[in-house]
Amino acid sequence: MSDNQYRLPKTVVPSRYDLVLEPDFETFAFEGVVDVTLIIGEAVDEIVLNADELSFGSAWLEPAGGDQIEVTGVRLDPETERAHLSLARTATPGDATLHVEFTGTVNDRLRGFYRSTYTDDIGEHIIATTQMQPTDARRAFPCWDEPEFKAVFGLSLVVPEELKAFANGAKASSEPAGNGKRRVSFADTMPMSTYLIAFCVGRLEATEPVIMGGVPVRVVHVPGKGNLTSFALEVAEHSLRFFTDYYGIPYPEKKLDLAALPDFAAGAMENPGFITFREAALLVDPATATQVERLRIADTIAHEIAHMWFGDLVTMRWWNGTWLNEAFATFMSLLAVDAWKPEWKVFESFALDRSEAFEVDALSSTRSIEYEVIAPGDVEDMFDVLTYEKGGSTLWMLEQYLGREPFRDGIRRYLADHLYGNTETADLWDALAEVTGEPVGRVMDAWIWQGGHPLVNVARQGDQAALSQTRFGHAGADDGTRWPTPLRVRVGERTDALLVEPEGALVEAATGELVVANAGGSSFVRVHYEGELFEAIKDASAGLAPLERYVLLDDAWAAVVAGALGAVEFCELAARFGVEDESPVWKTLLGGLGWCDRLLDGEPREGFRSFVRDLAGPRLEAAGWEPREGESDLDRELRGTLVRAMGLLGRDAATIDRAVVVERASRAGEKIDGPLAAAALPVAATAGGEEEWEAFVAMYRDGRTPQQKRRYVQALASFPQPELMQRTLARTLDGYIRSQDLPLLVEGCLTSRDHGAAAWEFVKENWDALRSKLTPHLLVYLVEGVRVFSTQAQRDDVLAFFEAHPLERAQKMLVHALERQSVAVALREREADELAAAFAPGGRLGA
Ligand SMILES: [Zn+2]
């Protein structure tokens, strides 16, 4: 029993659903009938299950071998999203079947059973599809909508003859159903949770199946996009093979479809057998996409396929376990993609995502990775960087500490012990501890039940390096929280894997030996080197591993944000990196410099631009504008990063002119190397006018690939004219921009250095209209851009607005954005004058 009013009683437990749904493509209503096979554990007078936005028709209970019991009344409780079905007489323990007829709406809110649209030469087409996680299956059919109530699902859809239907199971039969309709039935699913149900009806196509270890794999897409599916199939094939081997368990379903949907709220969803994606997360032309775009797709596909076992086959008992589900899939996708494309150095790219988590986790409003979830809606807060990126990082740290194979063996043990079952987080730690003999529970409990992360201080003590820890944050943020911290430390040529306990650790280090704490960069810590140790690692930076260089710069900028290092000192450190070869290292460096740019105006800003040109110019010149024979994907990526640096931050006239030419050629259909084409776009926008703006807007509709469309809509925020910004914002309301893309566009506008304030005015004025278009989660993504506002007046205004207009869900994510704003205000107050003095003519860093 549970005293949580949101948990369903376990007196009646489902084992199987036979579900028939018939959507009407004219009225968007649907009719449904469900027969649920139940086990009644104790005598009951009512049956309680989840239902919302549904109307009930006839219903009855049929005890095995007994007489039918009428359902005499249905009481709906919108607060708990439950239906109470009163029985005409008491049902006694035993097997029974519950029959319920119901109706609902194929909604336009991207959740439950919803509709997606696309237009082609013939006209507009509707796709009826689903997104159930976390708790929207109850909007599609009455059910026990908690992860613990696993059941087998036998689904039939009654659909217009000319449309195709897909679901978790393979198509088992298709029969005429009259009135131009067919009844399509699907193979039974494995026993699974309701949030994993998926089905989809529309004018769609599927690729020829590729058979991987007996499993047919297809990509489902709207007609005309078959040419964008080969990359996804290749990744899916690799991922299936990789995970089948890694987990040591065969793929748990019988087929695998990957479906690209024109409208989709999340990136993708791990429905067993039928994984759904937004188009940009699945369909791609590998010849014109950037490596970052391809990596994001490979990552997403591998992430979802990792869930087929971890999450789908073995599932969290309740929503508090969502973090582990997501963190694990995030980490596993890194392993899978790394095995597929080692030359992509995926852990370096992941460091960029991890930096986002570091930033949020440094706030006093951060949360522990796991927390108690009472109402299922509370879980909305879990779908953030602390779950995916911090959670995934802690697993990476643990894996590096335990060793790759022992970690894998522990995962195998855990899955094998809980097949088709539900688990708590501790079950995983227990399995890993059993296999490795390490204190996994003690270490991980500290990491998942405490918010924040350590600052490891490294100081010289005679012929030793003393490692101590505090909680990272601004002065005064250390509240005494400590972590048993897995850390690899390199002294000279020697690397040790340590568990740095709260009281610290000592490492032998002769005078003159280089000390690199967080060697390899896999621990979720910030590092502060005292005195000569900091000088020594700066001097040795060129010889560090790329991830270590990344960490050095990233930790330095974090220290600036925390008030422990000056922005001017950061720029001086950055100045040593002009010869850097790795795009992620440049990106973290440019992230810090981007903030400096925000804090500067007038002559000092000109001085800063010249500093950026001196830093990135020679490297871009060395890279050249044309891809070269034998270049790697990452070399080409670097070129794009440098073009952005020179064009956007350096405002280099020659770079801007060239970007305009490249963008025009790319728009005209010329084959331009992906990273260069993508980088040229926002740079060209800064020099564009009305004509270019019109062309960019059209490319959102007409782009040849989802990636190209995305690049163009993102670049709209880079046009310098205030009136074009107003016109860009207006397009968010007229239906031209899909709801799923609104956060991307508005975030770009809000974070625009010059137009952010105007964008915020627009958001305030049109709040109700924007809110009505978005799921609660997309709404918080839409407004997160306010985090960069860095004046007190802006901060007061934003706070007052959200006090008057509180968010319905994901409030924690908003609180993080608001605290980041106060961090930005403090950064400006602390650093702006000193930076301006340094970049003024004759200043330390000026010309
Ligand atoms: Zn996931």
Side-chain angles (χ1 to χ4, degrees):
M1 286 295 285
S2 163
D3 53 5
N4 178 350
Q5 60 155 335
Y6 292 95
R7 303 288 284 264
L8 291 169
K10 288 187 179 153
T11 44
V12 175
V13 174
S15 63
R16 178 183 174 88
Y17 294 77
D18 285 286
L19 175 64
V20 184
L21 289 169
E22 182 171 355
D24 184 320
F25 280 77
E26 301 293 322
T27 64
F28 305 127
F30 68 83
E31 291 182 5
V33 180
V34 66
D35 288 283
V36 194
T37 309
L38 301 170
I39 300 159
I40 300 176
E42 37 183 282
V44 287
D45 296 321
E46 65 166 16
I47 290 177
V48 187
L49 72 173
N50 294 113
D52 197 29
E53 298 168 15
L54 297 176
S55 302
F56 283 72
S58 311
W60 60 80
L61 184 76
E62 200 155 306
D67 293 338
Q68 193 171 298
I69 305 175
E70 282 305 310
V71 170
T72 52
V74 177
R75 181 168 62 83
L76 294 168
D77 178 1
E79 165 63 17
T80 56
E81 301 178 347
R82 280 187 189 173
H84 297 254
L85 279 49
S86 316
L87 301 175
R89 61 166 200 278
T90 303
T92 51
D95 296 344
T97 303
L98 175 70
H99 175 93
V100 181
E101 296 168 15
F102 56 95
T103 58
T105 307
V106 185
N107 67 69
D108 59 357
R109 299 288 306 275
L110 306 182
R111 64 178 190 177
F113 196 10
Y114 75 92
R115 55 189 196 261
S116 169
T117 58
Y118 71 92
T119 307
D120 64 10
D121 301 344
I122 305 169
E124 193 187 53
H125 305 279
I126 306 287
I127 299 169
T129 187
T130 58
Q131 168 59 32
M132 304 307 197
Q133 194 188 26
T135 55
D136 291 318
R138 63 191 63 176
R139 290 172 227 285
F141 60 101
C143 56
W144 278 256
D145 199 9
E146 295 179 11
E148 196 174 355
F149 291 106
K150 286 194 170 185
V152 171
F153 294 82
L155 172 71
S156 299
L157 296 171
V158 180
V159 302
E161 243 156 26
E162 68 278 12
L163 300 184
K164 290 233 162 50
F166 302 88
N168 303 95
K171 191 160 82 175
S173 67
S174 173
E175 291 158 10
N179 291 330
K181 291 186 171 183
R182 286 181 306 132
R183 180 186 166 119
V184 182
S185 298
F186 299 92
D188 284 355
T189 67
M190 66 173 170
M192 66 181 199
S193 308
T194 44
Y195 78 90
L196 295 170
I197 292 288
F199 43 88
C200 178
V201 184
R203 194 166 161 273
L204 294 161
E205 290 176 356
T207 57
E208 280 303 306
V210 175
I211 310 294
M212 215 318 282
V215 179
V217 183
R218 302 183 298 179
V219 171
V220 175
H221 56 89
V222 303
K225 296 193 174 172
N227 60 322
L228 304 175
T229 57
S230 62
F231 182 79
L233 286 168
E234 204 185 320
V235 178
E237 216 185 324
H238 163 77
S239 301
L240 264 184
R241 187 181 306 119
F242 179 86
F243 291 121
T244 303
D245 176 59
Y246 189 93
Y247 296 132
I249 297 171
Y251 171 68
E253 268 295 347
K254 291 177 191 64
K255 60 97 176 168
L256 178 59
D257 289 332
L258 313 175
L261 299 169
D263 299 282
F264 196 74
M269 177 64 209
E270 67 264 27
N271 319 293
F274 190 71
I275 305 178
T276 43
F277 297 77
R278 56 170 62 194
E279 286 186 339
L282 187 68
L283 303 179
V284 65
D285 169 16
T288 58
T290 68
Q291 179 265 345
V292 169
E293 287 163 346
R294 280 177 289 153
L295 172 59
R296 187 166 299 141
I297 290 172
D299 221 20
T300 307
I301 295 170
H303 175 113
E304 304 309 331
I305 293 179
H307 274 311
M308 299 292 111
W309 291 259
F310 200 107
D312 294 1
L313 181 60
V314 178
T315 312
M316 66 258 178
R317 191 174 301 288
W318 179 244
W319 298 112
N320 61 305
T322 297
W323 84 266
L324 181 59
N325 192 24
E326 295 307 343
F328 189 83
T330 299
F331 173 61
M332 288 310 289
S333 77
L334 293 169
L335 290 187
V337 179
D338 191 40
W340 183 51
K341 290 258 185 216
E343 68 274 22
W344 278 3
K345 304 175 184 172
V346 297
F347 285 95
E348 284 175 39
S349 307
F350 178 65
L352 282 161
D353 303 333
R354 186 179 62 174
S355 295
E356 274 286 304
F358 267 128
E359 244 185 85
V360 172
D361 199 42
L363 303 172
S364 60
S365 63
T366 189
R367 61 169 176 83
S368 53
I369 293 178
E370 184 163 345
Y371 56 84
E372 193 187 3
V373 174
I374 307 286
D378 297 347
V379 77
E380 297 274 355
D381 274 317
M382 242 183 219
F383 294 98
D384 72 353
V385 290
L386 295 173
T387 284
Y388 288 81
E389 279 75 26
K390 185 185 177 188
S393 297
T394 60
L395 292 173
W396 180 27
M397 175 168 70
L398 179 67
E399 190 234 27
Q400 289 295 298
Y401 177 66
L402 297 177
R404 193 146 277 189
E405 287 187 5
F407 181 86
R408 183 204 60 199
D409 293 344
I411 300 300
R412 287 181 175 176
R413 163 78 62 93
Y414 164 81
L415 290 175
D417 284 354
H418 300 283
L419 288 182
Y420 302 107
N422 293 83
T423 58
E424 304 288 348
T425 303
D427 293 324
L428 178 63
W429 309 149
D430 289 349
L432 286 163
E434 266 173 51
V435 167
T436 63
E438 294 286 336
V440 179
R442 181 172 70 84
V443 172
M444 293 311 283
D445 278 351
W447 281 89
I448 67 164
W449 290 108
Q450 306 188 117
H453 53 272
L455 171 66
V456 174
N457 189 69
V458 192
R460 176 160 288 289
Q461 252 178 42
D463 53 3
Q464 291 181 313
L467 308 174
S468 57
Q469 53 164 293
T470 51
R471 178 176 177 162
F472 179 77
H474 305 94
D478 183 21
D479 57 359
T481 310
R482 300 290 181 266
W483 296 259
T485 302
L487 192 69
R488 303 171 79 83
V489 181
R490 186 168 74 246
V491 179
E493 304 281 296
R494 191 180 78 244
T495 303
D496 290 316
L498 309 177
L499 192 60
V500 179
E501 296 290 353
E503 55 275 18
L506 289 169
V507 180
E508 299 300 318
T511 313
E513 272 190 313
L514 181 69
V515 179
V516 182
N518 205 3
S522 61
S523 287
F524 196 81
V525 301
R526 295 297 192 185
V527 178
H528 173 72
Y529 296 94
E530 280 190 10
E532 58 175 286
L533 292 173
F534 191 41
E535 295 309 316
I537 196 165
K538 282 194 285 188
D539 289 343
S541 59
L544 298 175
L547 251 170
E548 294 168 352
R549 296 200 296 276
Y550 181 100
V551 164
L552 181 66
L553 279 165
D554 201 47
D555 284 355
W557 181 253
V560 173
V561 174
L565 185 74
V568 174
E569 283 73 36
F570 174 82
C571 292
E572 285 171 340
L573 174 62
R576 295 169 179 252
F577 282 78
V579 294
E580 177 60 48
D581 285 332
E582 305 284 326
S583 180
V585 179
W586 271 105
K587 282 182 180 166
T588 191
L589 183 160
L590 294 168
L593 294 183
W595 264 107
C596 296
D597 181 53
R598 280 180 187 277
L599 303 180
L600 293 166
D601 284 296
E603 273 197 323
R605 194 172 183 212
E606 287 307 320
F608 171 77
R609 287 171 169 175
S610 148
F611 169 84
V612 172
R613 290 195 294 271
D614 289 348
L615 178 64
R619 190 66 192 81
L620 177 56
E621 201 160 327
W625 278 69
E626 297 290 331
R628 293 172 188 160
E629 194 71 33
E631 262 186 351
S632 71
D633 282 345
L634 297 188
D635 292 336
R636 293 156 58 208
E637 211 57 44
L638 174 62
R639 177 177 297 112
T641 301
L642 294 166
V643 166
R644 282 176 206 265
M646 289 295 281
L648 298 175
L649 278 185
R651 301 302 295 144
D652 177 58
T655 302
I656 295 169
D657 288 349
R658 198 139 182 193
V660 168
V661 175
V662 168
E663 187 281 320
R664 281 207 193 120
S666 165
R667 184 157 27 106
E670 239 177 81
K671 282 263 179 213
I672 307 279
D673 196 47
L676 183 58
L681 246 155
V683 178
T686 64
E690 185 163 356
E691 194 187 321
E692 286 76 19
W693 183 86
E694 301 270 4
F696 276 41
V697 169
M699 285 299 282
Y700 172 67
R701 183 190 56 216
D702 304 334
R704 285 175 295 278
T705 66
Q707 289 69 36
Q708 201 181 26
K709 293 178 181 201
R710 195 182 149 90
R711 290 176 199 165
Y712 274 95
V713 74
Q714 220 167 359
L716 287 177
S718 297
F719 283 88
Q721 300 82 346
E723 62 279 10
L724 292 181
M725 173 53 75
Q726 290 305 330
R727 287 175 66 185
T728 294
L729 289 162
R731 299 311 311 245
T732 61
L733 298 177
D734 63 9
Y736 183 75
I737 311 282
R738 289 179 187 274
S739 303
Q740 64 170 16
D741 297 327
L742 290 181
L744 176 77
L745 177 58
V746 175
E747 148 113 6
C749 296
L750 284 170
T751 55
S752 153
R753 182 186 188 278
D754 300 325
H755 302 308
W760 171 240
E761 288 305 314
F762 177 89
V763 168
K764 284 193 295 183
E765 277 163 30
N766 299 285
W767 180 247
D768 289 333
L770 288 168
R771 204 175 52 152
S772 71
K773 288 171 175 288
L774 297 171
T775 61
H777 219 77
L778 287 178
L779 189 64
V780 79
Y781 288 142
L782 181 102
V783 296
E784 269 189 323
V786 299
R787 68 182 181 276
V788 302
F789 292 175
S790 59
T791 69
Q792 191 59 45
Q794 283 176 314
R795 177 164 160 70
D796 293 343
D797 183 50
V798 171
L799 282 178
F801 180 79
F802 285 113
E803 222 152 89
H805 304 84
L807 294 189
E808 178 194 343
R809 292 273 168 88
Q811 292 97 340
K812 278 199 182 80
M813 290 173 67
L814 178 64
V815 168
H816 296 156
L818 296 178
E819 192 186 339
R820 286 171 86 174
Q821 207 174 34
S822 76
V823 169
V825 171
L827 180 69
R828 174 180 290 281
E829 282 169 3
R830 225 174 30 240
E831 299 293 342
D833 289 348
E834 206 183 321
L835 261 182
F839 283 109
R844 258 163 91 181
L845 296 164

